[in-house]
Amino acid sequence: MTGMFDMRMLRQIDHDKYFCDGLHVFECPCEKKSSFTNDDVSHACHLYMDAQQEIQDSGMFDTTDDFTFVLQPFFNGITIPPLKPDGEVNLDWFAPDCFHFSKLGHANVAKHLWNNIVQPVGSKNTVVNLSDPTIPLNCPDTSCPFIRTTKNSADCSKYMTK
C-alpha cells in the first residue's frame, strides 16, 4: 500500500492560484476553514499514516508465504510540493484539478514507489524530494532479489533457490 501524503501540502499548491483554490474549496470546504489549521490537517493525515503502519505491524497478513501487506511510506514525511528552481510550485506535476498527479507527476512518483518497493521493510525511505525528477531507479539487492516483504526482509535466505 502506498502511504498517504501530508495534505497540508495542498494549501501550498493552492496559494495564489485562483482556479486551484476555488476548485478545492468546492471539493473540500474544510480546506478554507481557518479553524482547520495546517497542523490540524497534518495531524489527521498522520493519524491515517499511523493506522496504515499498524496494519503492517500487526502481522495479520504475514501468515502465509504467498500474500502480505507492505506499506510503501515514501510520502509520509513530505510537506513541500514539487518546486521549480525559482521556488514556485511546479504545477506541471499536477492534473488540471491541481490535486491528482499529471503524467510527469505519476512518472516521478512511480520511480519513488519502485525504489521503496525494493527497500527492506523497516529501512524504507519516508521522505523523498519530489522536486528532483532525475532520481535513479534502484535495483533489488543481489542478496535478496525480490520485492521486499516483512518475511524476506527479516531472512531472505530461506526464499532463495539454488
Side-chain angles (χ1 to χ4, degrees):
M1 172 179 269
T2 302
M4 178 180 189
F5 68 85
D6 189 326
M7 298 290 286
R8 80 170 41 208
M9 186 168 60
L10 189 59
R11 287 181 171 165
Q12 294 174 56
I13 296 166
D14 286 357
H15 185 69
D16 292 334
K17 314 280 186 309
Y18 178 76
F19 177 78
C20 298
D21 186 47
L23 182 62
H24 293 161
V25 169
F26 175 75
E27 292 175 335
C28 181
C30 64
E31 185 187 347
K32 280 299 161 203
K33 284 186 183 176
S34 60
S35 62
F36 194 54
T37 67
N38 282 344
D39 288 340
D40 293 334
V41 171
S42 183
H43 179 72
C45 293
H46 282 272
L47 287 174
Y48 190 88
M49 291 175 204
D50 292 345
Q52 290 177 311
Q53 188 65 51
E54 286 175 24
I55 293 169
Q56 178 180 294
D57 293 346
S58 73
M60 72 171 94
F61 295 107
D62 293 330
T63 58
T64 66
D65 288 338
D66 62 353
F67 185 81
T68 192
F69 177 95
V70 177
L71 181 61
Q72 308 303 335
F74 65 95
F75 276 137
N76 287 17
I78 298 173
T79 57
I80 299 171
L83 303 174
K84 294 178 181 179
D86 66 3
E88 287 291 316
V89 172
N90 189 345
L91 290 177
D92 292 342
W93 272 72
F94 299 97
D97 67 2
C98 308
F99 177 78
H100 294 96
F101 292 118
S102 66
K103 226 188 286 189
L104 173 66
H106 275 292
N108 199 318
V109 167
K111 290 193 280 186
H112 289 295
L113 175 59
W114 172 256
N115 288 345
N116 229 199
I117 286 172
V118 299
Q119 295 168 338
V121 172
S123 299
K124 294 184 179 290
N125 290 338
T126 57
V127 178
V128 297
N129 180 1
L130 292 180
S131 298
D132 180 9
T134 65
I135 62 150
L137 283 173
N138 296 334
C139 294
D141 187 321
T142 56
S143 66
C144 191
F146 307 111
I147 291 175
R148 301 309 291 266
T149 67
T150 303
K151 286 184 173 185
N152 71 26
S153 292
D155 179 13
C156 197
S157 64
K158 64 183 182 179
Y159 301 98
M160 301 292 283
T161 58
K162 295 183 185 211

